[in-house]
Every structure is written in C-alpha cells, then in structure tokens.
Amino acid sequence: MKEIVKVLNQIVFFCATVYFILGVYEVGEQILSYVGWIVASAVCTYLIRQNMSKLSAFLLGHFLLAVVGVGLIKLFELSGGFLAVLIVLILFSVSLRILVTTDLLEEPGYVHLGVLALCSVISVYMDLSERVISGVMLAFFATLLLKVFYGNLKATDEFIRNRAASTRMDEQRLRRLNVEITLLYTGILGGILAIVRLFRTEGISRVILSWVRRILQFVFGGLGALSEKSEPEIVDDAVTSIQPNMGNMEVPETSPIWRILDVLIGASGIIIVVVGMILIAVFLFKAIYRHFYYHQNQPEDAEDYVEPLTMRKKLTKGKQKKFLDTFDRSPAKKIRRIYRKSLKTFGSSGNLEYLSPAEQMESLAEKSSFVNARREEILMIYEKARYSESETTEAEAKRMQELLRG
C-alpha cells in the first residue's frame, strides 16, 4: 500500500508542476495528454526499479524506456515538452536507486508541498489563469492528504515492528483495520475540502488573491527599485580621447622558447583535464554501483543503532589484590585467604575459580577425604566470611585454618 501511495504522489507532483509550466506558456489545454504520458512513464519506471536487481539490467531498462518513449514522440509528432518530461522522470527514477537517502524525494512530504506552494505563489504573482491556480492548489491538497495517509501507514508498520517481539498480534488484520480507518478520516478531510470548494467563494478568493498579488508586487517591486543603479553617461569624445594611439606601436616577435613552452603547457593542461575526467568518471561509477546495491541490501525496516561504549582504565587483578591485602587484616579476609590457598594446594590441576563455593567443595571432596568430612563446616564459615553482613571472629579464622590443614 505504501508503494502505491509513493507512485500516486509522484504522479500528482509531476502533473501539477507540468500544468504550472504549461500555464506559464499559455498552453494548458494540453494537460490531458501530459497526464497520460506522466502516468505511463511513472508506472514503467516504478516497475523497473522494483524488478531489476542488477545494475546493468536496471540501466538497460531505463535506456529501453527512453528509446520507446522517443519512438512514440516521433511517431505521434509530439512536442519537445514530452521528451523533457520523459528525461526528467527517467533521471528521477535512476536517482532514487543511486542516492543513499531518497525518502525526501520518494515519500510524500514537505519537499513536494513546498514546491507546489511555491508554484501557487508564482501563479498568483504572474496572474495566470484561474484554472492553473486551482489545479496547482488541488494538487497541493491532494499531496497533503497523501502525506497524512502515508504517515499513518508508516507509523503502523513501526508500531508492529516494535511490538512484534513481545506481543502476539494478527499483523494482517491490524494493517487492514488501519488502512480502513485511515481511508475513512482521509476521505472525510478530502470531503471537507471539496465541500468548501463547492461554495461560491469566488469573491473571497479574488480578494485574497488580489491582496497576495499586491504584497508580492510590493516586495519584488521594491527589491527591483533598490537594485537599479544609475550609470554615468560616457560621451563619445571622451571615449575617443582616452583610447591610446596604437598606430605607431610595434608588436615584438614571440621567442621560439616561449612558443615551445606554450605548447607544452597547453598539452599538459589537456592531459590533466583528460585524466581528471577519467578519474571523476571512475569515481562516479563506483559511487553509483555502491549506492545502487545499498538499497537492495538494506531491508525496509532496518535501523542503524550504535551502542555507546564507556572506557575506563582499570588496575590489573594482581595490583588490586596486592593493594587491598596490604591494609585488610580482618578475620573475614584471613578466612578467604586461607580458603584461596587451599584451592591452589588441593585443586592445582583444575580451574576452580569459575565455580561456586559449593561446586568447589564438591570438586575438592573427590580428591581429599578429610575435606569431604568437613565440607559443610568449611562451606558455612567461608560463605559467612564472604557473603554475610555479620562479622567473623578470630576463632572462626583459626577454625578454618584447622579444617583445611589436613
């Protein structure tokens, strides 16, 4: 559905701009032929963009479209405006796949509304026909409705994508319901605009347009008056008097060395220009190739996310332990030190530091029978020293040493 809205927006936008240009040249009666030409060209370019995954096939498809279009223009003896529209639509279609960011060009948005609004203002300022002004304004409101409709579809897709991982939902039903609701309130908005248009507001519109024309003429007329500068008149006799007498001056002959240098400099310049053009062509080809496949490799709902990283300088484990052991003489620290030494003594062949205390005791019990007999008491004293908030005593530290002495 979103793709259909994009194509409709493209058709409305180009039809309105072409109608505005035809109104400037007072040939607006040809708009129906141009509308058919724009619709056919827009649909063909869209099909080429969607179905041609290879760059060579993509360019070949647009080239064949240009050949067929030129053939139809020659066959039906159409004016040069049809050729200009065809070239613009083909270049526009190619740019949609070559440029990295094309949302502003393809999706109905503020760029299209701004251009159409500018065309409306220029139409009023140039005092074009009411049909041209009304046509451009109608295209403006149609683009506005398409923007509202497309924005709702896009927001629904984003909502489903964000909730799909954590919520079970019927996506097809939700999308269908959203399309129905969006069509309903978009249709209501369009109906309101149409009803307002049906009222006899010609007098109000003429007053508004006349005031707009006066404001524009005042602004641009004032700027034109400020830009006009009086230039002093130059009398022919004065011009003749200041010209030097070149009749008696002799032009010296150019030295052969300077002629050779002139040829070398000219040849070097030509070589530099040719090499530069080749490098620019290679760079453009690489950019076109890379950006063409960028859209193909990127999914529609892909979003770039960069996780912020925080780096800080840390002491090594050896330095940390050495620093803490220097000052800590508590019974809890003694118990933990005794326990750690016993792990190195009895479990030197295995890597026990990644196990829990209970798993460590179970591993040591398999190797030392006395540890198995005292496992519960050893584990209780060690966990109290390491995890408990209650203080340990010197007696418990001595008891731990006796239990692990063997």
Side-chain angles (χ1 to χ4, degrees):
M1 193 66 182
K2 291 194 298 183
E3 298 298 323
I4 297 177
V5 176
K6 290 180 181 179
V7 177
L8 288 177
N9 175 70
Q10 181 179 345
I11 292 172
V12 171
F13 176 74
F14 282 105
C15 287
T17 52
V18 169
Y19 191 34
F20 165 71
I21 295 173
L22 294 177
V24 173
Y25 290 97
E26 298 180 355
V27 287
E29 64 276 0
Q30 301 179 4
I31 186 60
L32 294 179
S33 301
Y34 277 96
V35 168
W37 185 254
I38 291 172
V39 171
S41 302
V43 172
C44 291
T45 53
Y46 170 77
L47 294 176
I48 293 173
R49 289 197 307 273
Q50 292 297 115
N51 299 317
M52 300 300 179
S53 58
K54 299 292 184 180
L55 179 60
S56 57
F58 176 77
L59 297 177
L60 180 61
H62 284 86
F63 175 75
L64 293 178
L65 177 62
V67 171
V68 173
V70 172
L72 292 176
I73 291 174
K74 294 292 185 181
L75 179 63
F76 293 99
E77 296 181 353
L78 301 176
S79 62
F82 289 87
L83 178 60
V85 171
L86 178 64
I87 293 175
V88 169
L89 286 172
I90 290 176
L91 292 177
F92 179 79
S93 177
V94 172
S95 65
L96 291 180
R97 288 294 301 272
I98 292 177
L99 298 177
V100 177
T101 303
T102 59
D103 295 343
L104 295 177
L105 297 177
E106 192 172 12
E107 299 177 357
Y110 295 107
V111 174
H112 305 90
L113 293 174
V115 173
L116 294 177
L118 181 62
C119 292
S120 300
V121 172
I122 296 176
S123 301
V124 173
Y125 178 73
M126 296 183 65
D127 198 11
L128 301 181
S129 64
E130 293 292 336
R131 293 179 59 186
V132 175
I133 298 176
S134 300
V136 176
M137 290 298 298
L138 180 62
F140 176 86
F141 288 115
T143 304
L144 180 61
L145 294 177
L146 290 174
K147 182 182 182 302
V148 173
F149 188 76
Y150 184 85
N152 201 334
L153 295 177
K154 193 173 181 180
T156 303
D157 290 342
E158 185 177 357
F159 172 81
I160 293 175
R161 184 173 64 252
N162 294 335
R163 295 297 182 90
S166 59
T167 307
R168 296 182 60 184
M169 63 181 69
D170 189 351
E171 296 184 9
Q172 297 297 330
R173 182 180 178 184
L174 182 59
R175 285 194 172 92
R176 184 169 58 253
L177 180 62
N178 175 70
V179 170
E180 294 175 357
I181 296 175
T182 305
L183 285 174
L184 178 62
Y185 76 77
T186 306
I188 293 174
L189 181 59
I192 293 174
L193 295 175
I195 292 174
V196 172
R197 180 62 183 171
L198 290 176
F199 287 109
R200 302 188 60 83
T201 57
E202 288 83 356
I204 300 175
S205 62
R206 287 196 187 96
V207 172
I208 295 174
L209 293 179
S210 64
W211 278 102
V212 172
R213 289 193 186 98
R214 290 179 182 178
I215 293 173
L216 293 175
Q217 289 174 358
F218 174 77
V219 173
F220 291 103
L223 293 176
L226 291 176
S227 62
E228 294 179 357
K229 296 181 180 179
S230 59
E231 298 181 357
E233 296 183 359
I234 302 177
V235 184
D236 294 339
D237 296 338
V239 173
T240 305
S241 62
I242 62 175
Q243 290 181 350
N245 186 8
M246 304 293 294
N248 298 327
M249 296 179 63
E250 295 182 359
V251 179
E253 185 179 356
T254 305
S255 173
I257 298 177
W258 288 109
R259 287 200 296 267
I260 295 173
L261 289 176
D262 189 20
V263 173
L264 292 176
I265 293 173
S268 301
I270 294 174
I271 293 173
I272 293 173
V273 171
V274 172
V275 172
M277 292 178 65
I278 294 174
L279 293 176
I280 292 174
V282 172
F283 174 78
L284 289 177
F285 178 77
K286 289 183 177 180
I288 291 172
Y289 186 86
R290 182 174 64 254
H291 294 162
F292 176 81
Y293 289 103
Y294 172 83
H295 295 281
Q296 183 173 336
N297 297 330
Q298 291 287 334
E300 184 178 358
D301 57 351
E303 294 182 358
D304 294 334
Y305 177 75
V306 179
E307 182 180 1
L309 298 177
T310 302
M311 298 181 64
R312 59 181 182 180
K313 188 176 181 181
K314 296 178 64 177
L315 295 174
T316 61
K317 290 185 177 180
K319 292 182 178 180
Q320 288 179 354
K321 293 177 180 179
K322 185 177 180 181
F323 180 78
L324 295 175
D325 291 343
T326 304
F327 299 97
D328 195 349
R329 299 294 181 180
S330 63
K333 189 62 180 178
K334 290 180 182 180
I335 293 173
R336 296 179 63 181
R337 190 182 303 113
I338 294 170
Y339 182 82
R340 187 168 56 250
K341 288 181 180 179
S342 65
L343 290 182
K344 294 180 180 179
T345 302
F346 299 112
S348 57
S349 59
N351 194 1
L352 303 179
E353 59 182 354
Y354 299 106
L355 302 178
S356 65
E359 293 172 340
Q360 291 171 352
M361 285 291 99
E362 183 178 356
S363 178
L364 292 178
E366 297 176 356
K367 302 178 182 179
S368 304
S369 58
F370 76 93
V371 174
N372 189 16
R374 309 167 188 174
R375 178 169 54 178
E376 297 297 332
E377 189 176 0
I378 294 173
L379 189 60
M380 181 185 65
I381 297 175
Y382 175 73
E383 288 183 346
K384 179 182 178 182
R386 182 173 182 181
Y387 303 113
S388 178
E389 295 182 357
S390 59
E391 296 183 0
T392 55
T393 61
E394 291 289 343
E396 289 173 335
K398 291 180 180 180
R399 180 56 181 167
M400 176 65 81
Q401 189 172 6
E402 293 174 358
L403 291 172
L404 292 175
R405 186 179 297 173

